Amino acid sequence: MAQETADKTPLTLLGLGAMGTALARAWLAAGHPLTVWNRTPARAEALAAEGATVARSAAEAVAANSLVVVCLLDDASVTATLADTDLAGRDLVDLTTGTPAQARARAEWARERGARYLDGGIMAVPPMVGVPEAGGYVFYSGSKELFERHRETLGVPVGTTYVGEDAGFAALHDIALLSAMYGMFAGIAHAFALIRKEDIDPASLAPLLTGWLTAMAAPSVHQTADQLRTGDYTTNVVSNLAMQVAGVPNFVGTAEQQGVSTELLSPYFALMRRRLAEGSGDEDLTGVVDLLVR
Ligand SMILES: NC(=O)c1ccc[n+]([C@@H]2O[C@H](COP(=O)([O-])OP(=O)(O)OC[C@H]3O[C@@H](n4cnc5c(N)ncnc54)[C@H](OP(=O)(O)O)[C@@H]3O)[C@@H](O)[C@H]2O)c1
């Protein structure tokens, strides 16, 4: 049941894919007057039944409200969609995933067209949208004033985290977190591969893996951050680099014995070895960060 709409900011949403549709439903459920547009019109039909106004073109949708949110596949689809719209005086919020360079270029592109700009990076999947306890949020960067003006409306579908005036910072934070996630996925894939040919139920490994990754994540992340800030990678070390490099043959040997490729882990081990050769065995693994930065 939609809430009262009188005091709710009206807005336009361009893009009704899986994510755009979830965002639209959250704004409608909270009582925000919403104008929507999607390249394939059929995707807007269900939302019309839920109270959305369906625009016949992107230009008509942009003209309907001063707050315009876009959530499209990629940066090229944003260019294509906004090509024939008049953005003068609009507050444009782009939730499309992209690179920091694309976000900075889009901010400049919007400024040239007389629009104010905020870039967003969504840290949620569609089922988390409109479910506050799921913990999803969007990184925002760009105009702080614009963020403050629309903070309440933008915070309806998921939480908001503002990360700076540099329009590229939301994308940078988004990609940093997702990159760490893929590293974790790589480790998980390797762990399951190790037991694949054995009489071990993957379901029995699952809780052990989640428990171990959860226990390791927070201490490791905070320790790395603290050491990078101070520049001293030997503070509070509990598992030093020399000991960890000495243990590498255990990982390589076990993988070989289990018939598992080391292609996911080997690059990391190579960096650990290089750091040991160049640095101190008393360090943590933090020195690997510096080896990655070119
Ligand atoms: N889904 C997730 O789990 C998730 C999580 C975080 C962030 N995101 C980000 O949210 C954004 C949208 O994701 P999604 O899951 O909604 O994707 P999706 O379901 O694939 O929907 C893509 C949307 O982009 C539109 N589109 C694609 N190319 C277009 C073009 N050339 N011109 C105009 N419209 C075009 C599609 O329109 P049609 O309907 O006409 O094809 C559709 O509305 C992406 O940047 C994605 O990275 C998604």
Side-chain angles (χ1 to χ4, degrees):
M1 186 71 174
Q3 296 172 9
E4 285 298 315
T5 61
D7 58 340
K8 303 293 171 97
T9 303
L11 71 157
T12 285
L13 175 64
L14 302 170
L16 299 173
M19 184 55 81
T21 297
L23 296 171
R25 291 217 156 97
W27 275 309
L28 288 171
H32 285 265
L34 183 71
T35 299
V36 295
W37 174 86
N38 193 61
R39 179 182 62 175
T40 305
R43 288 180 111 163
E45 282 168 15
L47 291 169
E50 293 171 37
T53 301
V54 180
R56 284 166 301 179
S57 66
E60 187 181 294
V62 168
N65 293 299
S66 61
L67 175 57
V68 177
V69 178
V70 295
C71 185
L72 295 159
L73 184 64
D74 55 15
D75 193 56
S77 56
V78 176
T79 301
T81 298
L82 296 178
D84 297 322
T85 65
D86 180 3
L87 288 166
R90 293 290 174 262
D91 293 345
L92 179 63
V93 180
D94 186 0
L95 301 184
T96 306
T97 304
T99 68
Q102 284 171 339
R104 289 171 187 137
R106 184 64 64 195
E108 179 57 19
W109 179 94
R111 195 191 60 73
E112 287 166 4
R113 284 157 182 77
R116 288 169 291 264
Y117 185 78
L118 261 184
D119 199 76
I122 304 174
M123 304 310 300
V125 292
M128 294 165 76
V129 175
V131 184
E133 58 275 20
Y137 63 92
V138 174
F139 283 123
Y140 285 100
S141 62
S143 166
K144 172 90 168 152
E145 188 264 325
L146 192 59
F147 173 72
E148 293 299 345
R149 186 186 310 167
H150 295 300
R151 182 182 214 146
E152 202 176 325
T153 303
L154 296 174
V156 166
V158 285
T160 59
T161 301
Y162 180 78
V163 287
E165 292 274 348
D166 183 329
F169 276 12
L172 187 56
H173 282 75
D174 182 355
I175 297 295
L177 266 58
L178 293 178
S179 299
M181 177 191 77
Y182 280 116
M184 182 183 73
F185 287 169
I188 292 169
H190 186 87
F192 277 116
L194 287 176
I195 65 152
R196 190 71 172 142
K197 292 185 196 155
E198 305 291 351
D199 185 19
I200 299 174
D201 183 353
S204 73
L205 191 69
L208 303 174
L209 265 178
T210 54
W212 183 245
L213 292 174
T214 305
M216 289 296 102
S220 156
V221 168
H222 291 294
Q223 173 99 320
T224 304
D226 289 345
Q227 292 181 348
L228 287 171
R229 288 181 86 184
T230 62
D232 178 0
Y233 303 165
T234 62
T235 310
N236 299 325
V237 176
V238 290
S239 308
N240 72 50
L241 182 62
M243 178 278 287
Q244 296 209 53
V245 169
V248 164
N250 296 327
F251 294 87
V252 175
T254 302
E256 281 168 0
Q257 289 155 26
Q258 296 303 112
V260 169
S261 164
T262 59
E263 63 195 301
L264 288 175
L265 288 186
S266 289
Y268 191 69
F269 289 147
L271 287 163
M272 285 167 58
R273 287 194 172 108
R274 230 173 91 201
R275 181 65 190 181
L276 182 62
E278 295 173 8
S280 154
D282 296 334
E283 290 181 357
D284 232 315
L285 296 172
T286 305
V288 168
V289 176
D290 296 333
L291 292 181
L292 290 175
V293 179
R294 288 189 285 220

